Amino acid sequence: MVRITSVQYEQAYEQIKRDSIEGSCIVFVASDVDALCACKIFQGLLKSDIIQHKIVPVAGYKDLMKANEELIKKDLDLRSVILINCGGLVDITQYIQVSEQVNIYIIDSHRPLNLDNAVHDNRNVFVFDEKENDAKMAEMIEAHEALMYNSDSEEDSGEDDIMGRDDDNSDMDDGDDGRIQSDRPRRRRRLDDDVVHSRKERARKRRQQNRLLAEYYSSGVYYANSSAAIVYLLASQLSKTNNELLWLAIVGVTSQYIFERNDTDKYMEQVNIFADDVSRFNIHMSSDMDGYSQPTSLHTIQSDDEYRFVLFRHWSLYDSMFHSGYVASKLGVWREHGKRRLNNMFAKMGFSLQQCQQIYTHMDNDLKQILRKKIEEVAPLYGLTDICFRSFSRHYGWRMQLSASDVVYALATLLETSPAAATRLGENVQWNEDQDWDALENESGDHGDGLGSVRQKWWMRNFYTAYDAVNSAEGLQRGIKLCMKIQKAIVRQATAIIDKRSASKVRAFRFIVVKDGPDLPLFQHPLTLSKLALFLTDAFREHGKRNLPFVLASLDEEHDSYLVVGKTGAPAFGDIRKNPFGIAFQEASERTGARISLDSFETSVLQIHKNDLDHFVENLYIRNILSF
């Protein structure tokens, strides 16, 4: 592995550009919002340099292996393979085999990076990383290489040679007075002591290196900077940034923050960087008759403070606050007391409940203009002290304005919701129909582990629908409408879990099984199930005795299996915590012999046969790794 930091991004891209003279490149993209935005930015760069390329969405490692057989090995002109938000956690050569003339570039926010890619045989693997990790990564790579290449047999043989040479030369040191002979035992003992000390020192160093690497891998999965931000930085170095690419980077970074993959500090670092470019690219503003700034461009980006409400510009203020994890958990809206507190909050603001239950665009303009001031005055009285965060919004023509979080929610919903579920909810998403999806769905309905999965049948159609929606106001609007119904289902399910006390405390975590109810088919995607876990984490953190992680299992009735996710959850809003469930899942499955599939780029996601679930969960807490 060749680790590439920010000062080398441009150099790596120029290599891709040179290689494109002789051949093409393939871009593999994971199915998440950040990867989608990073792909769009990277594709913009490739198009600007007329680099022949192919975009290939992948949902898991079996997709990579399949692509290796069907695309990579058959493409004699291939020179570059780019992986976005996939490949960083594994030895990529186990999944993709390329010739010496092909370079592999990994742009993956998942951490820790797999150091097997660092061996000398993998010098054509390049991993984009952040420069501030230089010292730590240098230490890790040194330890990894030392344990891999410095065998005891090689070192010990060298020591024996020293001892042997001393014995062979003993006759040359023999003198008549015997003095040199009397020195030999002391010299031998001194050499023996040196060898023993050297061996002990090497053993101590190996133990230290082993501990260092064990801690590096076992502490849990976490996330580095957004991949969209990394590719945008590359675009900046190439002097190819514009408003379109800037907006994609903003959406990618916002998605990592909203779904608790990056903390507030990392998020704010990027916001400050983006703010300068927003000012540079969006200087044309005019004032209307009332003195309010209006964009003269139809696609202007502007800095805005965003509320921790879900889609409030497109929903009613009441529904937006009621269904947001932040407000709902602080007020406890699943109880009557919490609902009364929310109503009282509106009353203190001077807003009638009727006004708050209208679609936001239909509210009185006078109320909308004082909303910010009233919320800042009243919200702290209800414990809502962190109700805003810095963000950006964009005008899509004169018809509507979307915040970055609006776009994140819309795209995530298009990625995670099955077409059947959308139809059941009464939403016409207009799914991408460019390919023969029926044929593809028939091919991809099984993991290959004896386990099927509902989402395997529709995820690729969803990917291309979200891909098309990134630059489409109409597509985003359809995603927003669907998101509001999905969010209601999440809160509905969370309320049922809390009311029925369905969360079982299993030592170091809480365990929940979702196996019935009208909303069950909605929870067959890791992102939807993760949203439910995050909502429950917020609720139990505010109203429970202990802030414990969650393991959620959702029944896939069609395939007699459960989709399982493990979420650590943040200790507070804006914080993050490493997720060790990936290692715990792997080891529990090995101990129990459970029928599972770990075919996901998120290590804390698996599919398990329904008859193996209970025994699997019982074995999870045995691991000390789950002592939070």
Side-chain angles (χ1 to χ4, degrees), residues 33-34 37-38 226 228-229 247-257 408:
V33 176
D34 180 43
C37 294
S226 152
W247 181 244
L248 290 168
I250 288 171
V251 172
V253 168
T254 303
S255 74
Q256 298 292 82
Y257 183 58
V408 169

Side-chain angles (χ1 to χ4, degrees), residues 105-259:
Y105 301 88
I106 299 175
I107 308 173
D108 191 357
S109 62
H110 295 89
R111 294 294 184 275
L113 293 172
N114 190 302
L115 298 177
D116 284 335
N117 292 319
V119 298
H120 292 305
D121 294 339
N122 294 336
R123 301 305 291 176
N124 64 334
V125 178
F126 301 85
V127 179
F128 285 64
D129 198 10
E130 298 167 284
K131 188 168 179 59
E132 56 262 34
N133 296 329
D134 275 357
K136 177 181 177 181
M137 288 304 299
E139 185 180 21
M140 295 299 168
I141 292 173
E142 179 186 0
H144 181 79
E145 290 181 340
L147 293 174
M148 177 170 286
Y149 293 117
N150 297 339
S151 64
D152 290 341
S153 59
E154 293 175 348
E155 295 178 340
D156 289 344
S157 65
E159 291 155 5
D160 292 338
D161 286 345
I162 295 174
M163 298 290 290
R165 283 195 298 273
D166 185 52
D167 288 340
D168 292 341
N169 295 333
S170 60
D171 291 340
M172 297 175 62
D173 295 332
D174 195 4
D176 293 337
D177 58 6
R179 285 179 298 173
I180 297 180
Q181 284 183 333
S182 64
D183 287 344
R184 285 180 59 235
R186 288 197 295 272
R187 185 179 177 191
R188 287 285 301 275
R189 284 195 298 273
R190 194 161 54 246
L191 282 169
D192 288 345
D193 290 343
D194 289 344
V195 170
V196 170
H197 176 74
S198 178
R199 286 177 174 173
K200 287 183 177 179
E201 181 63 23
R202 287 197 308 277
R204 184 195 66 79
K205 185 82 177 285
R206 282 196 299 272
R207 288 194 299 271
Q208 183 183 33
Q209 290 169 335
N210 273 314
R211 283 196 299 269
L212 187 68
L213 292 175
E215 181 180 352
Y216 175 67
Y217 285 121
S218 66
S219 60
V221 170
Y222 61 102
Y223 296 85
N225 202 2
S226 152
S227 291
I230 288 176
V231 183
Y232 182 76
L233 177 56
L234 168 62
S236 298
Q237 293 173 354
L238 297 170
S239 300
K240 293 186 177 182
T241 54
N242 55 43
N243 236 21
E244 288 294 326
L245 302 190
L246 172 60
W247 181 244
L248 290 168
I250 288 171
V251 172
V253 168
T254 303
S255 74
Q256 298 292 82
Y257 183 58
I258 285 177
F259 298 132

Side-chain angles (χ1 to χ4, degrees), residues 5-18:
T5 57
S6 55
V7 295
Q8 301 163 305
Y9 290 174
E10 183 177 0
Q11 180 182 347
Y13 180 79
E14 291 300 328
Q15 182 62 51
I16 295 173
K17 190 175 176 180
R18 286 192 295 271

